[in-house]
Amino acid sequence: EFDSDINILSAFAKVLTHPSVKFFDNRFYYPIRGSNPRDAKAHFFALQAISPDIRGILLLDRDNTNLPEHDIAPSGSGLQIVRWGRYEIENYLLVPSALLRYIRSATRAQDELFQSSTTAKAERFLKAQFPPDAFQNPLSDDAFLKKIAASKDILPRLFAVAELNVAKKDYYQIAELFDRTEVHPDVKKNLDLIAEVLLTGAKR
């Protein structure tokens, strides 16, 4: 939906050394910036009028579930609609080990004692916000991890606690520091779809 979304997805692709990296290296995309998905449909079909074989993927947050997919992109149209299993892509950054790794990296220029104090405050904040199961198993389907708006309700507050000024457009830098074992299956699934549809030419 936004530039920040595709940058996070690209960072995850690089962490996984996923075949979809080829798409992100030469990407053609149209950010809908949170507007009505039907605008994306209109844009896609305008392109299809010029290039009939074009294929596309519309990747949405879960705040657009009121619009039926068949109404936006009929079957066989060449445009596939995918919704994240969680509220938004930033929810897949809610892995405490990766977030603390990012904070340590962002504060590495600080005095070692101050850096340790900052990391400890951040960890306490995460433990206070996350249900225990979500904290211990951040790749699970815990309702907290699925429903919270991470980019509004968790990440800005976490960085305020850590006294870091991190803009949403820079959240991809968190994803860059993920270990491949920390990347959620939903992310891998959508990267697989991008590679299949946009690189190999499969049409559903």
Side-chain angles (χ1 to χ4, degrees), residues 38-139:
R38 291 195 180 100
D39 294 341
K41 177 181 102 169
H43 180 77
F44 175 79
F45 290 146
L47 292 174
Q48 199 172 53
I50 300 169
S51 180
D53 292 331
I54 196 171
R55 289 168 299 279
I57 296 173
L58 176 58
L59 185 54
L60 300 172
D61 295 340
R62 294 212 67 81
D63 55 355
N64 281 305
T65 55
N66 59 316
L67 293 170
E69 294 181 8
H70 63 80
D71 184 41
I72 302 172
S75 177
S77 66
L79 178 64
Q80 295 189 49
I81 298 175
V82 181
R83 288 187 172 95
W84 287 113
R86 295 183 177 184
Y87 183 81
E88 59 186 355
I89 191 171
E90 287 83 4
N91 284 48
Y92 298 101
L93 300 175
L94 296 182
V95 176
S97 56
L99 290 169
L100 295 174
R101 188 180 306 123
Y102 174 79
I103 288 171
R104 283 192 293 271
S105 174
T107 57
R108 62 181 177 271
Q110 297 177 353
D111 173 85
E112 184 175 345
L113 184 61
F114 188 78
Q115 183 191 43
S116 297
S117 174
T118 298
T119 304
K121 285 193 295 184
E123 185 172 11
R124 286 195 297 271
F125 170 82
L126 291 173
K127 285 183 175 179
Q129 299 302 313
F130 280 49
D133 287 347
F135 187 87
Q136 294 296 329
N137 301 292
L139 300 188

Side-chain angles (χ1 to χ4, degrees), residues 133-175:
D133 287 347
F135 187 87
Q136 294 296 329
N137 301 292
L139 300 188
S140 71
D141 290 330
D142 187 279
F144 170 83
L145 297 169
K146 293 179 70 173
K147 294 181 179 180
I148 196 165
S151 68
K152 299 185 185 100
D153 297 334
I154 290 290
L155 296 176
R157 293 165 58 209
L158 170 66
F159 295 130
V161 166
E163 299 181 34
L164 291 171
N165 184 18
V166 185
K168 184 177 179 180
K169 68 180 178 62
D170 296 323
Y171 284 178
Y172 74 92
Q173 295 173 358
I174 306 168

